[in-house]
Amino acid sequence: MGKLVIVAIGGNSLVRGNGRNTIQDQYEAVQETVVNIADMVQEGYNVVVTHGNGPQVGFELQRSEIANEVAGMPAIPLVNCVADTQGGIGYQIQQALTNEFTKRGINKKVATVITQVEVSMDDPNFKEPTKPVGSFFTLEQAEEMKKEHPNWIFIEDSGRGYRRVVPSPKPIDIVEKDAVKSLIDDGYVVIAVGGGGIPVVKTNNNTYEGIDAVIDKDFATSLLAEQVNAETLIITTGVSRVCINFGKPDQKALEKISVEETKKYVLENHFAPGSMLPKIEASLNFLEKKGTRVIITNPESLKDAINENAGTHIIK
């Protein structure tokens, strides 16, 4: 069996934009993405796939809000929206990748694991939620919704209206990690921790309970990579290489950097908190524990990146 690589696909990369937001549009984007993953398998790597679901959770929440307003249908809790989109996107990746293997004559099976991820109720983000989800509302609409849901928190977002914010706690354990390991050992390409995983907390009697939150998919992927002893973590994004001085005349693309250099760039505030910084922090978490290297690149460069011909490589 080849070296184990974890590949994280961004949820935004599966949304085409320009009004093309149907399930079929998403599946076409998935089909394009899995070609790059199949290339890696063909190169001899054993692959686990994770993915984001930020836009998709927003769509599902909006559908729930409209159905509640128009037809009085019960609202869908956020934790269920995370679970629903994890299953839906996982199904599409699983089917598209299976079909791609069939076209190429690759004897490889694919399985999606609906994955719960444990978080702590003591995480500070539960007291001060920061992650905007769902639709934009007027102040009046937000105040009306707070009457029905007293625990919901709304913030003004970029001058476009008010949005609900939810906690984004750090992951502390992958509940189904042993199932993922077993499937890897049996030669499957596994799809897991979709959307950062379904957030759960452990109760006093040692059982799990779902909780409304959104876990960062890169942090969850980093934890999964550590727990299944992956050698390489690949995080896909919208650029082929990470840059310092981004958008400035002295912008510089990074090819191969050490953990120490990466930490220095973090302290110098080269990475934006809402976009590249979480990916860098997740990369450092992985490398400071069990990982050997992290690659950050765009999906179309995956094959070249794994062979060190593209992407930013962070190494010990």
Side-chain angles (χ1 to χ4, degrees):
M1 191 157 47
K3 293 177 180 177
L4 181 59
V5 177
I6 311 286
V7 182
I9 301 168
N12 283 303
S13 69
L14 304 179
V15 177
R16 291 182 173 274
N18 299 318
R20 297 184 61 192
N21 293 329
T22 68
I23 297 297
Q24 182 58 36
D25 291 329
Q26 179 173 284
Y27 185 60
E28 289 172 9
V30 167
Q31 286 176 305
E32 293 173 6
T33 300
V34 301
V35 168
N36 306 296
I37 295 169
D39 286 341
M40 294 172 59
V41 172
Q42 206 155 26
E43 292 268 317
Y45 289 94
N46 205 27
V47 179
V48 173
V49 181
T50 73
H51 61 83
N53 67 348
Q56 292 82 4
V57 164
F59 296 155
E60 181 133 338
L61 282 170
Q62 190 173 12
R63 292 186 193 103
S64 173
E65 289 154 5
I66 292 168
N68 178 260
E69 182 181 337
V70 174
M73 298 282 290
I76 302 173
L78 175 61
V79 65
N80 289 74
C81 291
V82 174
D84 291 347
T85 53
Q86 185 186 104
I89 297 170
Y91 148 68
Q92 288 191 325
I93 296 172
Q94 177 177 306
Q95 185 181 87
L97 199 49
T98 299
N99 290 344
E100 186 66 26
F101 288 156
T102 299
K103 289 178 191 174
R104 300 187 188 203
I106 299 173
N107 183 24
K108 199 79 171 171
K109 295 175 287 186
V110 188
T112 302
V113 176
I114 300 302
T115 319
Q116 301 171 97
V117 174
E118 184 184 349
V119 299
S120 170
M121 279 304 301
D122 295 328
D123 191 294
N125 212 262
F126 278 111
K127 293 181 179 176
E128 295 184 11
T130 55
K131 180 74 173 175
V133 296
S135 309
F136 289 89
F137 300 99
T138 64
L139 177 59
E140 293 75 17
Q141 288 173 320
E143 288 176 343
E144 193 63 32
M145 293 184 77
K146 275 188 69 68
K147 292 177 184 176
E148 291 184 44
H149 307 280
N151 295 327
W152 286 15
I153 299 172
F154 289 84
I155 63 164
E156 199 281 325
D157 187 1
S158 310
R160 292 177 291 174
Y162 288 79
R163 293 179 80 191
R164 181 185 172 195
V165 287
V166 299
S168 186
K170 291 289 193 299
I172 59 176
D173 189 33
I174 310 296
V175 178
E176 285 78 20
K177 58 184 177 292
D178 290 338
V180 174
K181 286 180 189 175
S182 294
L183 287 165
I184 294 168
D185 291 343
D186 284 343
Y188 280 78
V189 172
V190 185
I191 302 155
V193 297
I198 303 162
V200 297
V201 293
K202 196 171 276 188
T203 65
N204 291 334
N205 61 358
N206 219 31
T207 59
Y208 291 109
E209 186 176 285
I211 189 163
D212 282 348
V214 174
I215 303 169
D216 183 276
K217 75 105 173 36
D218 294 318
F219 284 116
T221 301
S222 172
L223 179 60
L224 177 68
E226 174 197 337
Q227 292 189 336
V228 300
N229 299 312
E231 179 191 71
T232 300
L233 167 62
I234 304 179
I235 299 175
T236 66
T237 184
V239 293
S240 60
R241 284 194 166 108
V242 179
C243 294
I244 56 173
N245 301 314
F246 185 74
K248 299 177 182 177
D250 57 346
Q251 175 176 310
K252 178 187 175 184
L254 303 173
E255 295 184 19
K256 185 176 286 188
I257 54 175
S258 68
V259 167
E260 290 72 25
E261 287 174 294
T262 307
K263 288 180 177 178
K264 174 175 171 286
Y265 291 140
V266 170
L267 291 173
E268 292 172 353
N269 297 316
H270 280 287
F271 309 120
S275 55
M276 191 57 70
L277 184 59
K279 294 173 173 49
I280 296 294
E281 290 175 336
S283 301
L284 292 173
N285 285 350
F286 174 62
L287 290 170
E288 288 179 337
K289 290 173 181 170
K290 293 187 177 180
T292 302
R293 65 170 171 166
V294 173
I295 304 170
I296 302 177
T297 193
N298 52 10
E300 55 268 33
S301 300
L302 279 174
K303 183 179 178 180
D304 288 335
I306 200 74
N307 292 313
E308 300 192 14
N309 296 318
T312 294
H313 295 245
I314 308 175
I315 56 173
K316 286 188 176 178

